[in-house]
Amino acid sequence: MSNPAINLLPTIFVILGATGDLMQKKLAPSLFRLYEQKELPALFQVVGFSRDSLDDARFRHLVSDMIRAKVKGCSKQKVEEFTRFFSYQQGLFEERAGYENLASRFGMQDGEWKVCSNKLFYLAVPPQFYRTIFYQLAESGLTKPCSPTEGWTRVIVEKPFGKDLQTAQELDRLLGRLFREEQIYRIDHYLGKETVQNILAFRFANSFFEPIWNREAVESIEIKFWEDFGIGDRGIFYDGSGALRDVGQNHILQLLALFLMSNPGDFTPESIRKERARVLKALRVWRSVKDIQQMTMRGQYQGYRLEKDVDASSQTETYFRIETFLQTPRWQGVPIYLEGGKQMPESKVEVTVVFRHSAPCLCPEGGAHYKNTLRYRVQPQEAIHLSFWIKKPGAQMELEEKDFAFDYRAAFEGHDLSDAYKRLLFSVIRGDQTLFVSTEEILAGWKFVDPIVRAWEEGVTELHEYAQKSDMMVKMKLSADV
Ligand code: BG6
């Protein structure tokens, strides 16, 4: 197969916040992996932009350290060869001068390449800088292609996109005034994970589940997003956010959308995004105090208030469980459980679909019914398990539960399943928005999450305290289930 990078046009990639955490942990290593696999355009430049006072040589050195710390066994020489594509522009996000300097760099580079190159702006900065940067980029004319026929400009924004529905709408209005939707790439890095991308293939390239993917056959759906660690040094961000905003409004809802969406008809980015949004818009939103008390639950791990930068009397949840429904003929009445938490007994992200037993069922009299379960493990130990019942050898009709299991890593040994950012960056460069969240999806997510968070902030449900690594919250039932 020909290398798709061969057809990629010259591109300048500007990273705003280029000395920060995201650059160090994700962007620099992922760009290097793309380079190693020859998936970057042949003419490619990265310009780091931040307030730190560095020159090109020191920036390259920094990037080289970032890559070598993350990419095991990489060749020093290859890394140095790669960092030659990097240069640095010092500037303040709120001051025009830095952006003007960027514009003159672009002019020089394009002159050297004799093209009007593509420009990519990655906002690897805390969300409070988004507004200023969007304005400055647009006002300084940087987001306008240098020619009507050649070169595009795109902006990439990290989550959180807003803090609630209102702030998301404001940000969206601003973005909408400055850029066209096809220029905006909103990241939810879960969409870049191999196993998350596979949900579409699993559902729409196989014929066995689609006919039973509905309320007649499915009894319940559950998404678990457990992490066995705490908030680390992200106290300032996390304490103002909480678990539901941090992983519920985005990652968990995206998983849900992919699992429950209908066949989009074609697999273009527009159709897929529209279909995902349709699911999120159909979520049953809980507004009344009674509903929120019955259908939601929240907890905070012991010791959370002692974490760095956390308020000593914080009411922020580090765990939640919500039961909801989709208001569509296909899914009406099927309970959906969404659960996320830090300091849980183990780390796992998993979707479980429980099927109804057949009727009449060869089930034990008076005993539990035999149900099949599909467990789709997003991470770690990426796998798909399907439980079924089988007759135990012997004279009695005694059944036992067994498992069909597919282990991703065993099946694709040597393949890299983990680097979501590599796939995301590759998609932006190619102009494929499938793995990015549309404005419709963002707003639908906030419409669902907002009333719950607000009611929690008003204290309408108890904030349970749970011991770190305990399954105490998991064992507690929602009052709707009792
Ligand atoms: C981030 C959240 O979006 O996703 C973190 O802010 C969370 O709190 C992380 O730990 C999980 O991502 P991953 O890829 O490590 O599972």
Side-chain angles (χ1 to χ4, degrees):
M1 230 167 78
S2 68
N3 183 344
I6 287 170
N7 298 324
L8 295 173
L9 296 170
T11 301
I12 302 179
F13 188 2
V14 181
I15 301 177
L16 297 119
T19 52
D21 216 40
L22 190 70
M23 174 71 169
Q24 179 191 348
K25 290 195 178 130
K26 306 284 186 190
L27 303 181
S30 300
L31 282 170
F32 178 69
R33 290 194 185 103
L34 284 173
Y35 174 67
E36 269 189 314
Q37 289 160 13
K38 302 195 173 22
E39 287 173 335
L40 290 177
L43 291 178
F44 187 69
Q45 281 290 316
V46 181
V47 182
F49 184 104
S50 100
R51 63 181 60 221
D52 295 326
S53 160
L54 296 175
D55 58 15
D56 287 353
R58 281 175 60 206
F59 181 57
R60 285 178 188 155
H61 195 74
L62 184 72
V63 174
S64 162
D65 286 349
M66 290 172 176
I67 296 172
R68 289 170 60 210
K70 281 278 169 186
V71 185
K72 284 188 207 114
C74 60
S75 120
K76 188 171 174 215
Q77 193 195 339
K78 192 96 188 158
V79 175
E80 268 163 25
E81 181 186 296
F82 177 56
T83 54
R84 273 188 233 132
F85 298 126
F86 285 65
S87 61
Y88 187 75
Q89 173 64 58
Q90 196 255 338
L92 296 178
F93 298 135
E94 53 278 30
E95 274 182 19
R96 180 62 54 85
Y99 299 86
E100 284 168 357
N101 288 336
L102 274 181
S104 49
R105 267 171 192 267
F106 291 171
M108 268 156 53
Q109 187 61 68
D110 283 1
E112 195 183 302
W113 285 342
K114 299 194 178 44
V115 289
C116 164
S117 64
N118 299 328
K119 313 286 181 319
L120 243 170
F121 299 92
Y122 200 121
L123 274 67
V125 298
Q128 65 265 30
F129 291 113
Y130 286 0
R131 280 183 158 272
T132 317
I133 294 177
F134 291 150
Y135 261 123
Q136 294 288 359
L137 285 176
E139 291 287 301
S140 51
L142 285 173
T143 54
K144 289 211 183 70
C146 36
S147 138
T149 49
E150 269 182 90
W152 43 249
T153 60
R154 296 181 182 145
V155 284
I156 312 174
V157 196
E158 276 287 331
K159 78 171 249 292
F161 198 80
K163 194 176 161 28
D164 51 25
L165 181 61
Q166 196 192 331
T167 50
Q169 278 168 331
E170 282 166 16
L171 203 53
D172 201 59
R173 273 196 291 273
L174 174 67
L175 265 178
R177 279 210 310 273
L178 305 176
F179 311 101
R180 295 187 312 277
E181 180 66 15
E182 63 269 23
Q183 290 183 287
I184 310 167
Y185 288 70
R186 300 175 195 83
I187 290 208
D188 178 326
H189 77 281
Y190 262 68
L191 289 177
K193 290 187 189 264
E194 192 63 59
T195 46
V196 176
Q197 285 184 45
N198 178 56
I199 298 171
L200 283 185
F202 179 68
R203 291 199 47 213
F204 300 120
N206 297 301
S207 50
F208 43 81
F209 280 120
E210 211 41 26
I212 53 164
W213 213 245
N214 52 48
R215 64 193 297 269
E216 279 78 40
V218 173
E219 187 176 276
S220 67
I221 293 158
E222 178 172 50
I223 303 185
K224 280 188 184 305
F225 196 110
W226 289 10
E227 293 178 309
D228 66 357
F229 47 86
I231 58 159
D233 54 10
R234 299 166 71 220
I236 295 180
F237 160 75
Y238 198 91
D239 207 36
S241 164
L244 182 54
R245 285 190 181 113
D246 184 38
V247 299
Q249 190 272 346
N250 34 66
H251 310 327
I252 294 184
L253 289 186
Q254 282 297 330
L255 287 172
L256 183 74
L258 285 166
F259 258 86
L260 298 194
M261 69 190 243
S262 297
N263 189 318
D266 59 59
F267 294 93
T268 58
E270 301 76 49
S271 306
I272 294 172
R273 283 164 30 126
K274 204 163 264 155
E275 219 39 66
R276 289 198 312 244
R278 220 190 290 269
V279 172
L280 301 180
K281 285 183 184 167
L283 276 169
R284 180 74 208 269
V285 177
W286 303 125
R287 293 184 196 284
S288 74
V289 169
K290 184 163 161 262
D291 283 339
I292 287 174
Q293 284 169 341
Q294 287 187 345
M295 308 307 254
T296 78
M297 205 166 80
R298 63 188 177 130
Q300 186 187 75
Y301 64 78
Q302 280 168 0
Y304 171 75
R305 293 175 190 173
L306 302 173
E307 300 273 25
K308 186 167 158 264
D309 298 322
V310 168
D311 189 303
S313 56
S314 171
Q315 293 294 306
T316 299
E317 84 287 354
T318 58
Y319 170 93
F320 66 87
R321 185 169 169 85
I322 297 170
E323 177 179 343
T324 186
F325 300 91
L326 268 206
Q327 295 175 296
T328 62
R330 187 174 187 175
W331 293 109
Q332 191 74 47
V334 178
I336 297 167
Y337 299 96
L338 309 175
E339 181 181 57
K342 299 249 185 229
Q343 293 291 8
M344 300 302 283
E346 59 175 309
S347 282
K348 66 170 171 187
V349 178
E350 189 172 88
V351 182
T352 305
V353 179
V354 179
F355 293 94
R356 296 180 198 282
H357 63 78
S358 57
C361 169
L362 186 60
C363 297
E365 255 177 57
H369 288 298
Y370 297 133
K371 290 170 189 166
N372 300 123
T373 1
L374 171 77
R375 276 191 300 120
Y376 190 104
R377 176 71 82 104
V378 173
Q379 68 181 42
Q381 292 122 31
E382 297 80 354
I384 303 173
H385 288 258
L386 184 62
S387 78
F388 62 98
W389 295 88
I390 195 134
K391 181 186 167 301
K392 266 167 80 172
Q396 303 290 327
M397 180 52 96
E398 216 180 309
L399 304 196
E400 198 172 290
E401 192 174 23
K402 294 284 178 202
D403 213 22
F404 289 122
F406 166 76
D407 178 329
Y408 236 104
R409 287 184 191 261
F412 296 107
E413 224 176 310
H415 281 262
D416 172 16
L417 295 182
S418 59
D419 195 351
Y421 273 83
K422 190 183 85 186
R423 283 180 278 276
L424 294 170
L425 293 172
F426 188 58
S427 288
V428 186
I429 294 171
R430 285 190 311 162
D432 181 345
Q433 288 187 312
T434 315
L435 305 184
F436 299 85
V437 190
S438 67
T439 180
E440 272 189 301
E441 293 171 272
I442 301 254
L443 298 184
W446 282 124
K447 277 186 189 146
F448 175 69
V449 157
D450 244 16
I452 300 176
V453 175
R454 209 162 307 128
W456 285 349
E457 281 166 0
E458 283 162 15
V460 308
T461 61
E462 190 183 340
L463 178 69
H464 301 280
E465 192 182 86
Y466 59 97
Q468 296 189 12
K469 314 272 195 274
S470 77
D471 61 357
M472 178 195 138
M473 294 304 296
V474 182
K475 283 195 176 139
M476 278 173 59
K477 287 198 176 325
L478 286 165
S479 52
D481 296 335
V482 179

